[in-house]
Amino acid sequence: MAKNGVYGIKSFSFADCVDNGGYPTAFNNTIKAIVTGSLSFNDQAAQTNDVEIEDSEDPYAVLPTSAATKGFTIQTYDLSKENFVALLGYTSDEKKWVNEAPVESEIYKAIQIVTKDLDDIPSKTFQWSKMKLTVTRSGTIGKSGLPNLNIECRQMAVFNSTGEKVSGHRWGLTSEITSGSGS
């Protein structure tokens, strides 16, 4: 019986979101040069506020104050023109300059992560149909290291054509799913 873990990142790809809660049929944009050990999950449980009363030791009511958040952060040394255009909204001009957008914009992408095989730990493919990306730059330009992009991915609510909330995340064993299997 195979172990249920996951090991290392084989690929981290993204694509434009699909309408009505679907998944893209292809994830053609692949991030290269992922910083070793940089993918970290940052899920947070929903926040609540206990309403207490004097004549009880237990909460009288529990009120939700914020929704749960699910996501992860990953770092890459891949400062390519393609990433600046797709992830930061930059544009390219006829003189070969890559220009920052004059206004901030929100970026939503579908994400796919494929893990590596290791002995009896099989590769898994994880897909999110809609994530909000926050991309920042950090690091230095010098002999002590390389600058990188920090990509924070936060899972967003996904709705079908009738407005019902549907699952926005799925995974499967890579060997058992077909490549590029969309909706």
Side-chain angles (χ1 to χ4, degrees), residues 18 27 62 66 71 77-78 82 99 101 112 118 153 169 177-178:
V18 174
F27 290 82
V62 178
S66 69
Y77 296 127
D78 184 359
E82 293 78 15
N99 301 291
Q112 175 176 277
L118 174 67
C153 303
H169 176 247
I177 57 176
T178 57

Side-chain angles (χ1 to χ4, degrees), residues 5-143:
V6 290
Y7 170 76
I9 299 171
K10 182 176 181 180
S11 67
F12 182 97
S13 305
F14 61 92
D16 290 332
C17 298
V18 174
D19 290 335
N20 301 326
Y23 290 86
T25 55
F27 290 82
N28 294 326
N29 300 301
T30 300
I31 300 285
K32 300 172 197 70
I34 296 169
V35 177
T36 300
S38 71
L39 193 144
S40 59
F41 290 97
N42 47 23
D43 292 358
Q44 293 183 2
Q47 300 296 308
T48 59
N49 185 28
D50 292 347
V51 177
E52 298 178 358
I53 58 175
E54 290 294 333
D55 52 351
S56 175
E57 296 296 321
D58 297 321
Y60 181 70
V62 178
L63 305 174
T65 58
S66 69
T69 60
K70 298 176 184 176
F72 50 85
T73 301
I74 191 167
Q75 296 176 344
T76 178
Y77 296 127
D78 184 359
L79 303 179
S80 65
K81 172 182 165 183
E82 293 78 15
N83 284 343
F84 272 75
V85 170
L87 299 174
L88 292 166
Y90 278 54
T91 58
S92 182
D93 66 24
E94 67 279 351
K95 295 181 181 178
K96 306 294 184 199
W97 287 101
V98 181
N99 301 291
E100 181 178 35
V103 295
E104 293 290 325
S105 62
E106 292 187 346
I107 300 165
Y108 296 93
K109 296 290 182 186
I111 302 289
Q112 175 176 277
I113 298 174
V114 179
T115 65
K116 296 178 181 179
D117 286 313
L118 174 67
D119 300 329
D120 59 348
I121 299 175
S123 171
K124 290 185 180 178
T125 298
F126 298 89
Q127 292 182 343
W128 291 265
S129 63
K130 184 178 182 184
M131 298 199 93
K132 180 180 179 184
L133 276 54
T134 303
V135 183
T136 57
R137 292 170 284 178
S138 65
T140 61
I141 298 175
K143 292 182 180 181

